[in-house]
Amino acid sequence: MTVNQENVNAAAQRLAKAADTGRPCEPVRDLIGRDDLDSAYAVQSVLTARRVADGEEVVGRKIGLTSFAVQQQMGVDRPDFGVLFGSMGHADGATIVAADVMQPRVEAEIAFVLGADLVDGPLDAEQVRAATDHVVAALEVCGSRVRDWDISFGDTVADNASGAAFVLGTDQCSLDEVVPADIEMTMSIDGEEVSTGNGAACLGDPVEAVVWLARTAREVGEPLRAGQVILSGALGPMRPVVAGQRVTATLSGLGTVSVCFA
């Protein structure tokens, strides 16, 4: 499809205003359509450039909507990706102010930390495995600038794949030590189990999710680089959180990771 730059800029302005004011906005699909990928990613690029111009550092990417369960929740049938900024990252056990995230929801994932660029070559599973320095348990804190999470695929892509924050665990393992597709996950809020899943829920294998991202990122001219963190996608359904709650996820072979909301 042909991108209408005027509409792209208007959508970016609407989402930026929501982020700046802390007040969710109406969906942007009236400007860019429900599933126009080119326009949606164009909005995301405008917002990314805005944050970089304000001093933010790009530290990785996130893959969204890889779990069939999450796709059902969101009403979509394909993955998407967003950008991770340095300000989004938190250490295991960190406290996040709930009000700093718009309409927060949390999901458990496997994070890949790259030791080599993914630029040339077939970008297949073998290459992704070789380029991965280690993997860790992770929590992604999702947040939507769109009121009531009333999102189509185009809305969430434009809104940086609904990314808000991420938390990395401390147990680092190589891909010789764990098999991502076989990892089992349980997530609890204040000790009550609220979500379960496994690596196979992430496009069949989290490694394949990173393959998809590596190829897609290269196609758009922003290939994955050494040192970047890649959130490979949810292993089970995301859950809403409020101030005062603590979220903990346990991933077999990767230990636990937790975050508190103040």
Side-chain angles (χ1 to χ4, degrees), residues 50-97:
R50 180 178 185 263
R51 293 182 67 163
V52 170
D54 287 340
E56 290 267 28
E57 178 188 6
V58 175
V59 298
R61 300 285 183 87
K62 58 152 290 184
I63 312 170
L65 307 177
T66 55
S67 163
F68 179 64
V70 175
Q71 289 181 358
Q72 284 187 311
Q73 281 186 308
M74 296 294 100
V76 299
D77 61 358
R78 70 192 90 172
D80 65 359
F81 71 84
V83 176
L84 299 180
F85 298 94
S87 63
M88 295 169 63
H90 298 270
D92 186 19
T95 296
I96 295 175
V97 177

Side-chain angles (χ1 to χ4, degrees), residues 24 101-104 142-147 149-151 159 162:
V101 180
M102 300 177 70
Q103 309 174 105
C142 299
S144 180
R145 271 58 63 176
V146 177
R147 183 175 291 114
W149 279 87
D150 179 17
I151 57 174
D159 189 25
S162 303

